[in-house]
Amino acid sequence: MASETTEAGKMANRAVAAQRPNGSTQGKICQFKLVLLGESAVGKSSLVLRFVKGQFHEYQESTIGAAFLTQTICLDDTTVKFEIWDTAGQERYHSLAPMYYRGAQAAIVVYDITNQDTFGRAKTWVKELQRQASPTIVIALAGNKQDLANKRMVEFEEAQTYADENGLLFMETSAKTAMNVNDIFLAIEV
Amino acid sequence: MYATKQPSLRIKQADLECKNGCGYYGNADWEGYCSKCFRNHMDQERQKKSRQSHAEHSRAHVSGFSKFEEKKRQQTDKKNKYLKSLPVFRKSSSAKESGKPEKYIDMRQANPDADKLLAEFISSYGEWGEFVRKDFFKCVQSFTTKILSELDAKPVEDLAEIAQNYYNLYNNRVNSNPVYQAVTSEVRDELLDFFERYCMVSLYRFLFCPPSTNDEEKDLTIQDRIRKLSWVNAHHLDCCISETSIEVRDLVYTAINDLLGMDSMKAPQEKLTCVVRCCRSVVEVLQHCQGGPVSADEFLPALIFVVLKANPARLKSNILYVTRFCNDSRLMQGEAGYYFTNLCCAVSFIENLTAESLNMSEQEFQAYMSGEITCVSAWESALVACEGMHQLCEHLALLKGLSERTTVVQDGTQKLREDMQKLKDEINEKVTSVLEKTPLIIKPRKSPIPLSKEDFPILPPSPIPKVEDEPITQNEDNQNPPHNYYLQNLSMSQINLLDSTKNKLQLDITPCIKIPNTIPVQSSQSTDFLSPSPAHENKSIDSLTPDDNSYLGLSKINYEIDFSDLSADNSIAEELTTEKCKSPTPSFTTPDPFSPVGTSCNIMQSPLVPSNASLPAVIEVKPVKRDDFVLPFLENISKQTAEETLLDKLEEAPIINLPSPIKPFTSEYSGFSKQGSKIPSIPCNTGDFSSLNLSQSSLPSCSKEIID
């Protein structure tokens, strides 16, 4: 379902539409629930931490919880309040995911470009989201650890093709170098 | 018993529908039926069962209680069925207000919490005026009466829907009604929360775990399940909680307490607050264990662990209550929503936990579940022996602290001791080094014994001829050497002292004796000594007078004479001699004074003892010879004693004495005066005033003699 919508613009429209029925929008402030999905150790939390706090810790030294984070962004005349729900990536908790993405306006499915398995898992996440989540959900695919491109196992073109086929936003990101991190969040928002 | 039907829950669209094929969706809670069909099904089942007796159901629970439950449910089911079959009645009931006020009053009277909240409302929002308050309570009343009217008629899900509708209604009302125009937006949100809270606290006993549901059964099931899973530890869950660490355990206890506290709260948001607190504690635990931002990958297993270890009472009821009656927006968003979702996930995980989800073989899992394998984890042992262990741990911690403090104290003592030892060593070292630097002063001076012994043989021969030969001339002749010698001694010692080459002080004495003729230089020096000598005298006399009263007169006489000597520069030599003649005589007539000499001198210096011992022999000679001859000898001894005392001083406090050589002449001399002050004490005891005289007028008189 929704596989024909390939343009980001269309998805953005959907996203905006998704905010309204929720009733959480008040004036120019809209709340935006975003769920992070992906295999464990692909860098979900690092990505969010980079986005929210602008920081990256290779050895994760800071002492903040990364499971639930909020970030407010002002865009033109609207204030968007991101609420980012991290999910446990382990296989055994896979079945619990629907509880998290219930009522979410967006989901970022993260995979590790140096690990083909995580990309496979990402595909299953996308499939599941398309089937079970709200039909208006915006799905973004993020190939993380772009800074380790020399160890790349998942080709950019491969992922891009997959994203186009399934109407996903796609970017390769790096929480370490902050590449595309803000862009992917903003793209979802727009 | 529904095992054969359950697999149909999966995937296919058709499978999601009611098993009866009525076209509505089914629900897992209703065993795959839609709500209607489920009720029918239940009815049938009940009837069957009641005929068959309750053998199956009494398996896990108290049969009487479950019977009661069944009956109650049957009743409500029947009622629902009946009511729903009559749409007219349903409408009328939803149109509200028909004999409900009494019920509402009942409820209010029975609920002290509502009164508390009323007071809180007035204190918090009273400022917004009468109208706000009235409207608020109007809405509350309308809501509660509505719920109460529907309580027996509708399943709890419908009631939850009504509640959600009311929340939305009140939300709209607050934001649009002119009554609330003055109210700020924050307070509006607060009012919304308060509305929810007030209503839910009022209706808690009706809506929490209502008898129309099987919530209680679910509670018991999950409790049983968790109890059976008590063997699951952090390791099984791939969770990094270190169960053995005391701090971590304390934090986990905090989390567990928060989770358990959920049951005692009444309003859904209060329960949510407990969940949030619990989850924050869990995050803290994880931060403590792994040190880093806690992602969901670590958080969820930890929460599952906490739920497993807490096994909270009525867990399922609480979760369902919150899910039903908490404002939906709160559950879907925000931190509370997130953590509550996590809790639901944890419970769901526990309910569906299999061998696979713990990464173990089916056999192993079954062995654990059946109790074949019992693993005693650190956590379990802590839980079993909770109180004792806790106390033990606390005591251990206390003891550890105490022992640490003791070791600190001991270390301190040890260090102090070492420091003291070090200081001692240092001082000793310094002393020895100083002694090494100036050893010759001391060591040679201790050898006066042989010197004095040598003197004795020398001396006796010298007086003998003097006594026998012409007294005066020879006196003069003989006197000169001793006087000279004495002067030499004094002057030389002083020179040595002054020249800072004190080392040879003692050594110089011997040459002095041997070379009496090298005097000329000293005469000049002796004059130098003249000026300080008065001070000398005074001191000596002062010390003298108290010592021996019997000789007071004599001493005084001496003193006077001395002064006269000083005043009348001339003809001192004769006077001196006379004086000396006078002074020794009493000393000799009274032999006792000698004994004090021995004692007093001995105290000061041991080397003198032999010399004193040999003294009597000398004294025996003395009566024969002139007193003058004795004098130098005694003088010599006294000098020696004086020098010895100085030596002693040097030995005792070398550091103090060291600087003196560097000091200028006068100060040096004052040092000598100190020495001189001691000189009289000895002669005074001996009763030998010769020494006194010498000390008093030593320098001037002698110098004059020499001049003469």
Short mmCIF file of all heavy atoms in Angstrom, two decimals, chain A residues 22 24 31 33 40-41 44-45 49 60 62-68 83 85-90 92-93 96 99-100 102-103, chain B residues 236-238 283 287 291-297 300-301 304 331-335 337-338 341-342 344-345 348-349 357 359:
data_model
loop_
_atom_site.label_atom_id
_atom_site.label_comp_id
_atom_site.label_asym_id
_atom_site.label_seq_id
_atom_site.Cartn_x
_atom_site.Cartn_y
_atom_site.Cartn_z
N ASN A 22 -4.98 14.38 14.70
CA ASN A 22 -4.56 13.96 16.03
C ASN A 22 -5.04 14.91 17.12
O ASN A 22 -5.12 14.55 18.28
CB ASN A 22 -3.03 13.86 16.06
CG ASN A 22 -2.59 12.91 17.14
OD1 ASN A 22 -2.54 13.29 18.28
ND2 ASN A 22 -2.31 11.67 16.77
N SER A 24 -3.56 17.32 18.38
CA SER A 24 -2.51 17.84 19.24
C SER A 24 -1.99 19.18 18.73
O SER A 24 -1.23 19.85 19.41
CB SER A 24 -1.37 16.85 19.33
OG SER A 24 -0.89 16.61 18.03
N GLN A 31 2.68 18.72 17.22
CA GLN A 31 3.44 17.64 17.84
C GLN A 31 3.64 16.56 16.80
O GLN A 31 2.82 16.37 15.91
CB GLN A 31 2.67 17.09 19.03
CG GLN A 31 2.61 18.06 20.17
CD GLN A 31 3.04 17.43 21.48
OE1 GLN A 31 2.74 16.29 21.74
NE2 GLN A 31 3.74 18.19 22.28
N LYS A 33 5.03 12.68 16.51
CA LYS A 33 5.59 11.47 17.12
C LYS A 33 6.35 10.67 16.08
O LYS A 33 5.81 10.36 15.02
CB LYS A 33 4.45 10.64 17.72
CG LYS A 33 4.93 9.34 18.34
CD LYS A 33 3.81 8.64 19.05
CE LYS A 33 4.12 7.15 19.21
NZ LYS A 33 2.98 6.44 19.82
N SER A 40 19.39 -3.65 16.47
CA SER A 40 20.20 -3.04 17.52
C SER A 40 21.62 -2.80 16.99
O SER A 40 22.09 -3.51 16.10
CB SER A 40 20.26 -3.94 18.74
OG SER A 40 20.76 -5.20 18.41
N ALA A 41 22.22 -1.77 17.51
CA ALA A 41 23.61 -1.41 17.15
C ALA A 41 23.76 -0.86 15.73
O ALA A 41 24.85 -0.84 15.19
CB ALA A 41 24.56 -2.58 17.34
N LYS A 44 20.73 3.82 16.12
CA LYS A 44 19.48 4.56 16.28
C LYS A 44 19.65 5.68 17.30
O LYS A 44 19.36 6.84 17.03
CB LYS A 44 18.36 3.63 16.76
CG LYS A 44 17.97 2.57 15.76
CD LYS A 44 16.71 1.87 16.18
CE LYS A 44 16.85 1.11 17.50
NZ LYS A 44 17.71 -0.08 17.39
N SER A 45 20.14 5.29 18.46
CA SER A 45 20.24 6.29 19.53
C SER A 45 21.26 7.35 19.19
O SER A 45 21.07 8.53 19.52
CB SER A 45 20.59 5.62 20.84
OG SER A 45 20.59 4.25 20.74
N LEU A 49 20.54 11.24 19.20
CA LEU A 49 21.33 12.11 20.06
C LEU A 49 21.99 13.21 19.25
O LEU A 49 22.06 14.36 19.68
CB LEU A 49 22.40 11.30 20.78
CG LEU A 49 21.92 10.58 22.05
CD1 LEU A 49 23.04 9.74 22.62
CD2 LEU A 49 21.45 11.58 23.09
N GLN A 60 30.10 6.61 23.78
CA GLN A 60 28.87 6.88 24.53
C GLN A 60 29.17 7.21 25.99
O GLN A 60 28.82 6.48 26.90
CB GLN A 60 27.93 5.66 24.46
CG GLN A 60 27.63 5.20 23.06
CD GLN A 60 26.68 6.12 22.32
OE1 GLN A 60 26.16 7.05 22.91
NE2 GLN A 60 26.47 5.88 21.06
N SER A 62 28.39 10.19 27.56
CA SER A 62 27.47 11.11 28.25
C SER A 62 26.44 10.31 29.03
O SER A 62 26.28 9.11 28.87
CB SER A 62 26.77 12.01 27.25
OG SER A 62 25.79 11.28 26.57
N THR A 63 25.75 10.98 29.88
CA THR A 63 24.87 10.27 30.81
C THR A 63 23.43 10.72 30.64
O THR A 63 22.82 11.23 31.56
CB THR A 63 25.31 10.51 32.25
OG1 THR A 63 25.43 11.93 32.44
CG2 THR A 63 26.61 9.83 32.55
N ILE A 64 22.91 10.57 29.47
CA ILE A 64 21.52 10.92 29.27
C ILE A 64 20.78 9.74 28.69
O ILE A 64 21.35 8.94 27.95
CB ILE A 64 21.36 12.12 28.32
CG1 ILE A 64 22.56 12.18 27.37
CG2 ILE A 64 21.18 13.41 29.07
CD1 ILE A 64 22.33 13.03 26.17
N GLY A 65 19.52 9.70 29.01
CA GLY A 65 18.70 8.65 28.44
C GLY A 65 18.41 8.99 26.99
O GLY A 65 18.14 10.14 26.65
N ALA A 66 18.51 8.02 26.14
CA ALA A 66 18.29 8.28 24.72
C ALA A 66 17.05 7.56 24.22
O ALA A 66 16.76 7.55 23.04
CB ALA A 66 19.50 7.85 23.91
N ALA A 67 16.32 6.94 25.15
CA ALA A 67 15.17 6.17 24.72
C ALA A 67 14.01 7.06 24.32
O ALA A 67 13.32 6.82 23.35
CB ALA A 67 14.75 5.22 25.84
N PHE A 68 13.84 8.13 25.08
CA PHE A 68 12.77 9.06 24.77
C PHE A 68 13.34 10.47 24.75
O PHE A 68 13.90 10.93 25.74
CB PHE A 68 11.66 8.96 25.82
CG PHE A 68 10.58 9.98 25.62
CD1 PHE A 68 9.56 9.73 24.72
CD2 PHE A 68 10.58 11.17 26.31
CE1 PHE A 68 8.56 10.68 24.52
CE2 PHE A 68 9.59 12.11 26.12
CZ PHE A 68 8.58 11.86 25.22
N GLU A 83 8.88 14.27 18.91
CA GLU A 83 8.91 13.39 20.08
C GLU A 83 9.41 12.06 19.54
O GLU A 83 8.76 11.42 18.73
CB GLU A 83 7.50 13.26 20.60
CG GLU A 83 7.42 12.73 22.00
CD GLU A 83 6.01 12.85 22.51
OE1 GLU A 83 5.25 11.90 22.28
OE2 GLU A 83 5.67 13.87 23.11
N TRP A 85 10.58 8.32 19.79
CA TRP A 85 10.48 7.08 20.58
C TRP A 85 11.45 6.06 20.01
O TRP A 85 11.31 5.63 18.87
CB TRP A 85 9.05 6.51 20.51
CG TRP A 85 8.01 7.31 21.23
CD1 TRP A 85 8.01 8.64 21.46
CD2 TRP A 85 6.81 6.80 21.82
NE1 TRP A 85 6.89 9.01 22.15
CE2 TRP A 85 6.13 7.90 22.39
CE3 TRP A 85 6.23 5.53 21.92
CZ2 TRP A 85 4.91 7.76 23.04
CZ3 TRP A 85 5.02 5.41 22.57
CH2 TRP A 85 4.37 6.50 23.14
N ASP A 86 12.36 5.69 20.84
CA ASP A 86 13.30 4.66 20.43
C ASP A 86 12.68 3.30 20.72
O ASP A 86 11.88 3.16 21.64
CB ASP A 86 14.61 4.83 21.23
CG ASP A 86 15.73 4.00 20.66
OD1 ASP A 86 15.54 3.41 19.58
OD2 ASP A 86 16.79 3.95 21.29
N THR A 87 13.02 2.33 19.92
CA THR A 87 12.51 0.98 20.17
C THR A 87 13.67 0.01 20.32
O THR A 87 14.76 0.26 19.82
CB THR A 87 11.63 0.48 19.01
OG1 THR A 87 12.43 0.41 17.84
CG2 THR A 87 10.46 1.38 18.77
N ALA A 88 13.38 -1.04 21.03
CA ALA A 88 14.42 -2.06 21.21
C ALA A 88 14.58 -2.80 19.89
O ALA A 88 13.60 -3.25 19.31
CB ALA A 88 14.02 -3.01 22.32
N GLY A 89 15.80 -2.90 19.46
CA GLY A 89 16.03 -3.46 18.13
C GLY A 89 16.19 -4.96 18.08
O GLY A 89 16.14 -5.55 17.00
N GLN A 90 16.35 -5.56 19.25
CA GLN A 90 16.62 -7.00 19.24
C GLN A 90 15.45 -7.77 18.62
O GLN A 90 14.30 -7.39 18.77
CB GLN A 90 16.87 -7.51 20.67
CG GLN A 90 18.14 -6.97 21.30
CD GLN A 90 17.89 -5.75 22.15
OE1 GLN A 90 17.08 -4.90 21.79
NE2 GLN A 90 18.57 -5.66 23.28
N ARG A 92 14.05 -10.41 19.45
CA ARG A 92 13.05 -10.96 20.36
C ARG A 92 11.95 -9.95 20.72
O ARG A 92 10.89 -10.33 21.17
CB ARG A 92 13.73 -11.46 21.63
CG ARG A 92 14.44 -10.36 22.40
CD ARG A 92 14.89 -10.84 23.74
NE ARG A 92 16.13 -11.60 23.66
CZ ARG A 92 16.86 -11.89 24.72
NH1 ARG A 92 16.46 -11.52 25.91
NH2 ARG A 92 17.98 -12.54 24.60
N TYR A 93 12.26 -8.67 20.54
CA TYR A 93 11.26 -7.66 20.87
C TYR A 93 10.52 -7.16 19.63
O TYR A 93 9.75 -6.22 19.71
CB TYR A 93 11.91 -6.48 21.59
CG TYR A 93 12.66 -6.89 22.82
CD1 TYR A 93 14.02 -6.64 22.95
CD2 TYR A 93 12.01 -7.54 23.86
CE1 TYR A 93 14.71 -7.04 24.07
CE2 TYR A 93 12.70 -7.94 24.99
CZ TYR A 93 14.06 -7.69 25.10
OH TYR A 93 14.73 -8.09 26.20
N LEU A 96 6.84 -6.56 19.61
CA LEU A 96 6.27 -5.50 20.45
C LEU A 96 6.19 -4.17 19.71
O LEU A 96 5.56 -3.24 20.19
CB LEU A 96 7.12 -5.33 21.72
CG LEU A 96 7.32 -6.59 22.55
CD1 LEU A 96 8.34 -6.31 23.64
CD2 LEU A 96 6.01 -7.05 23.16
N MET A 99 3.15 -1.65 19.30
CA MET A 99 2.75 -0.80 20.43
C MET A 99 3.42 0.56 20.35
O MET A 99 2.85 1.55 20.79
CB MET A 99 3.16 -1.47 21.73
CG MET A 99 2.32 -2.69 22.07
SD MET A 99 2.72 -3.23 23.72
CE MET A 99 1.55 -4.53 23.94
N TYR A 100 4.61 0.57 19.83
CA TYR A 100 5.34 1.84 19.76
C TYR A 100 4.85 2.72 18.63
O TYR A 100 4.67 3.91 18.80
CB TYR A 100 6.85 1.58 19.59
CG TYR A 100 7.53 0.99 20.79
CD1 TYR A 100 7.77 -0.37 20.89
CD2 TYR A 100 7.94 1.81 21.84
CE1 TYR A 100 8.39 -0.91 21.99
CE2 TYR A 100 8.57 1.28 22.95
CZ TYR A 100 8.78 -0.09 23.02
OH TYR A 100 9.40 -0.61 24.11
N ARG A 102 2.08 2.80 17.20
CA ARG A 102 0.67 3.16 17.26
C ARG A 102 0.57 4.68 17.43
O ARG A 102 1.12 5.25 18.37
CB ARG A 102 0.04 2.45 18.46
CG ARG A 102 -1.46 2.44 18.48
CD ARG A 102 -1.92 1.46 19.55
NE ARG A 102 -1.29 1.75 20.85
CZ ARG A 102 -1.99 2.20 21.90
NH1 ARG A 102 -3.28 2.40 21.81
NH2 ARG A 102 -1.37 2.44 23.04
N GLY A 103 -0.09 5.30 16.51
CA GLY A 103 -0.30 6.74 16.62
C GLY A 103 0.89 7.58 16.22
O GLY A 103 0.90 8.79 16.44
N HIS B 236 19.75 -13.72 31.35
CA HIS B 236 18.84 -14.30 30.36
C HIS B 236 18.28 -13.24 29.43
O HIS B 236 17.99 -13.49 28.27
CB HIS B 236 17.68 -15.01 31.06
CG HIS B 236 18.09 -16.25 31.77
ND1 HIS B 236 17.84 -16.46 33.11
CD2 HIS B 236 18.77 -17.34 31.35
CE1 HIS B 236 18.33 -17.63 33.47
NE2 HIS B 236 18.91 -18.18 32.43
N LEU B 237 18.09 -12.06 29.96
CA LEU B 237 17.46 -10.99 29.18
C LEU B 237 18.47 -10.15 28.42
O LEU B 237 18.12 -9.15 27.81
CB LEU B 237 16.67 -10.09 30.12
CG LEU B 237 15.44 -10.72 30.79
CD1 LEU B 237 14.96 -9.87 31.94
CD2 LEU B 237 14.33 -10.92 29.77
N ASP B 238 19.72 -10.56 28.48
CA ASP B 238 20.78 -9.77 27.84
C ASP B 238 20.77 -8.34 28.37
O ASP B 238 20.91 -7.37 27.62
CB ASP B 238 20.59 -9.73 26.31
CG ASP B 238 21.16 -10.98 25.68
OD1 ASP B 238 21.98 -11.63 26.35
OD2 ASP B 238 20.77 -11.31 24.55
N VAL B 283 16.37 3.80 34.09
CA VAL B 283 17.37 4.49 33.27
C VAL B 283 18.60 4.78 34.11
O VAL B 283 19.74 4.60 33.67
CB VAL B 283 16.78 5.78 32.68
CG1 VAL B 283 17.87 6.63 32.05
CG2 VAL B 283 15.71 5.47 31.64
N GLN B 287 22.35 3.60 33.51
CA GLN B 287 23.47 4.54 33.43
C GLN B 287 24.56 4.14 34.39
O GLN B 287 25.75 4.25 34.09
CB GLN B 287 22.98 5.95 33.76
CG GLN B 287 22.34 6.62 32.57
CD GLN B 287 21.69 7.92 32.94
OE1 GLN B 287 21.68 8.32 34.10
NE2 GLN B 287 21.14 8.60 31.96
N GLY B 291 27.05 3.20 31.88
CA GLY B 291 27.65 4.51 31.70
C GLY B 291 27.53 4.99 30.28
O GLY B 291 28.44 4.84 29.49
N GLY B 292 26.43 5.58 29.96
CA GLY B 292 26.22 6.09 28.61
C GLY B 292 24.75 6.35 28.41
O GLY B 292 23.94 6.01 29.26
N PRO B 293 24.41 6.96 27.31
CA PRO B 293 23.00 7.20 27.05
C PRO B 293 22.26 5.88 26.90
O PRO B 293 22.75 4.96 26.25
CB PRO B 293 22.98 8.02 25.77
CG PRO B 293 24.31 7.89 25.18
CD PRO B 293 25.27 7.45 26.23
N VAL B 294 21.12 5.82 27.54
CA VAL B 294 20.39 4.57 27.57
C VAL B 294 19.42 4.54 26.41
O VAL B 294 18.51 5.36 26.34
CB VAL B 294 19.64 4.44 28.90
CG1 VAL B 294 18.87 3.14 28.94
CG2 VAL B 294 20.61 4.53 30.06
N SER B 295 19.63 3.63 25.52
CA SER B 295 18.71 3.50 24.40
C SER B 295 17.69 2.41 24.72
O SER B 295 17.82 1.70 25.71
CB SER B 295 19.47 3.16 23.12
OG SER B 295 19.89 1.82 23.18
N ALA B 296 16.70 2.33 23.86
CA ALA B 296 15.63 1.36 24.10
C ALA B 296 16.17 -0.06 24.08
O ALA B 296 15.62 -0.94 24.72
CB ALA B 296 14.56 1.53 23.04
N ASP B 297 17.26 -0.26 23.36
CA ASP B 297 17.85 -1.60 23.29
C ASP B 297 18.20 -2.12 24.69
O ASP B 297 18.11 -3.32 24.95
CB ASP B 297 19.13 -1.57 22.44
CG ASP B 297 18.82 -1.46 20.96
OD1 ASP B 297 17.63 -1.53 20.62
OD2 ASP B 297 19.76 -1.30 20.17
N LEU B 300 14.42 -1.61 27.52
CA LEU B 300 13.30 -2.56 27.59
C LEU B 300 13.65 -3.82 28.37
O LEU B 300 12.90 -4.21 29.26
CB LEU B 300 12.80 -2.88 26.17
CG LEU B 300 11.52 -3.71 26.11
CD1 LEU B 300 10.39 -3.01 26.83
CD2 LEU B 300 11.13 -3.98 24.66
N PRO B 301 14.79 -4.45 28.09
CA PRO B 301 15.13 -5.63 28.90
C PRO B 301 15.21 -5.32 30.39
O PRO B 301 14.77 -6.12 31.21
CB PRO B 301 16.51 -6.03 28.36
CG PRO B 301 16.61 -5.44 27.02
CD PRO B 301 15.78 -4.21 27.04
N ILE B 304 11.80 -5.08 31.78
CA ILE B 304 11.23 -6.42 31.90
C ILE B 304 11.78 -7.09 33.16
O ILE B 304 11.04 -7.69 33.94
CB ILE B 304 11.56 -7.27 30.65
CG1 ILE B 304 10.77 -6.75 29.45
CG2 ILE B 304 11.23 -8.73 30.89
CD1 ILE B 304 11.24 -7.28 28.12
N LEU B 331 -1.53 8.93 26.51
CA LEU B 331 -0.92 7.61 26.33
C LEU B 331 -0.17 7.50 25.01
O LEU B 331 0.73 6.69 24.87
CB LEU B 331 -1.99 6.52 26.40
CG LEU B 331 -2.57 6.26 27.78
CD1 LEU B 331 -3.52 5.09 27.72
CD2 LEU B 331 -1.47 5.97 28.79
N MET B 332 -0.60 8.30 24.06
CA MET B 332 0.01 8.18 22.75
C MET B 332 1.26 9.04 22.64
O MET B 332 2.08 8.82 21.76
CB MET B 332 -0.99 8.63 21.66
CG MET B 332 -2.25 7.79 21.65
SD MET B 332 -1.94 6.18 20.98
CE MET B 332 -2.18 6.52 19.25
N GLN B 333 1.34 10.02 23.51
CA GLN B 333 2.45 10.96 23.37
C GLN B 333 3.08 11.27 24.73
O GLN B 333 2.51 10.97 25.77
CB GLN B 333 1.95 12.26 22.73
CG GLN B 333 1.81 12.11 21.23
CD GLN B 333 1.09 13.29 20.63
OE1 GLN B 333 0.30 13.94 21.29
NE2 GLN B 333 1.35 13.56 19.37
N GLY B 334 4.19 11.88 24.63
CA GLY B 334 4.86 12.34 25.84
C GLY B 334 5.66 11.24 26.52
O GLY B 334 5.58 10.07 26.14
N GLU B 335 6.42 11.67 27.49
CA GLU B 335 7.29 10.75 28.20
C GLU B 335 6.48 9.66 28.89
O GLU B 335 6.81 8.48 28.82
CB GLU B 335 8.12 11.53 29.22
CG GLU B 335 9.32 10.79 29.69
CD GLU B 335 10.12 11.57 30.71
OE1 GLU B 335 9.58 12.54 31.27
OE2 GLU B 335 11.26 11.20 30.95
N GLY B 337 3.60 8.57 28.11
CA GLY B 337 3.08 7.65 27.11
C GLY B 337 4.14 6.65 26.69
O GLY B 337 3.88 5.45 26.57
N TYR B 338 5.33 7.17 26.49
CA TYR B 338 6.41 6.30 26.05
C TYR B 338 6.72 5.22 27.07
O TYR B 338 6.81 4.04 26.75
CB TYR B 338 7.66 7.13 25.76
CG TYR B 338 8.83 6.29 25.31
CD1 TYR B 338 8.83 5.70 24.06
CD2 TYR B 338 9.91 6.06 26.15
CE1 TYR B 338 9.87 4.91 23.64
CE2 TYR B 338 10.96 5.27 25.75
CZ TYR B 338 10.95 4.70 24.50
OH TYR B 338 11.99 3.91 24.09
N THR B 341 3.96 2.73 27.39
CA THR B 341 4.03 1.79 26.26
C THR B 341 5.09 0.73 26.52
O THR B 341 4.88 -0.46 26.26
CB THR B 341 4.37 2.56 24.97
OG1 THR B 341 3.43 3.59 24.79
CG2 THR B 341 4.36 1.64 23.77
N ASN B 342 6.20 1.19 27.07
CA ASN B 342 7.26 0.24 27.40
C ASN B 342 6.80 -0.78 28.43
O ASN B 342 7.13 -1.96 28.34
CB ASN B 342 8.50 0.98 27.91
CG ASN B 342 9.43 1.34 26.78
OD1 ASN B 342 9.98 0.46 26.12
ND2 ASN B 342 9.60 2.62 26.53
N CYS B 344 3.76 -1.74 28.95
CA CYS B 344 2.84 -2.66 28.27
C CYS B 344 3.62 -3.69 27.47
O CYS B 344 3.29 -4.88 27.47
CB CYS B 344 1.92 -1.88 27.33
SG CYS B 344 0.78 -0.81 28.20
N CYS B 345 4.67 -3.21 26.81
CA CYS B 345 5.51 -4.12 26.04
C CYS B 345 6.15 -5.15 26.95
O CYS B 345 6.20 -6.34 26.60
CB CYS B 345 6.61 -3.33 25.33
SG CYS B 345 6.00 -2.40 23.93
N SER B 348 3.58 -7.60 27.96
CA SER B 348 3.26 -8.44 26.81
C SER B 348 4.37 -9.46 26.56
O SER B 348 4.11 -10.63 26.27
CB SER B 348 3.06 -7.54 25.59
OG SER B 348 3.10 -8.29 24.42
N PHE B 349 5.59 -8.99 26.70
CA PHE B 349 6.73 -9.89 26.49
C PHE B 349 6.71 -11.02 27.51
O PHE B 349 6.94 -12.18 27.18
CB PHE B 349 8.04 -9.09 26.62
CG PHE B 349 9.27 -9.90 26.40
CD1 PHE B 349 9.71 -10.19 25.13
CD2 PHE B 349 10.00 -10.39 27.48
CE1 PHE B 349 10.85 -10.94 24.93
CE2 PHE B 349 11.14 -11.14 27.29
CZ PHE B 349 11.56 -11.42 26.00
N SER B 357 12.63 -16.59 23.13
CA SER B 357 12.85 -15.19 23.50
C SER B 357 13.89 -15.04 24.60
O SER B 357 14.32 -13.94 24.91
CB SER B 357 11.54 -14.53 23.90
OG SER B 357 10.82 -15.34 24.79
N ASN B 359 16.62 -17.01 24.37
CA ASN B 359 17.80 -17.59 23.73
C ASN B 359 18.24 -18.87 24.42
O ASN B 359 19.42 -19.07 24.69
CB ASN B 359 18.97 -16.59 23.73
CG ASN B 359 18.76 -15.51 22.70
OD1 ASN B 359 18.01 -15.70 21.74
ND2 ASN B 359 19.40 -14.38 22.90
#
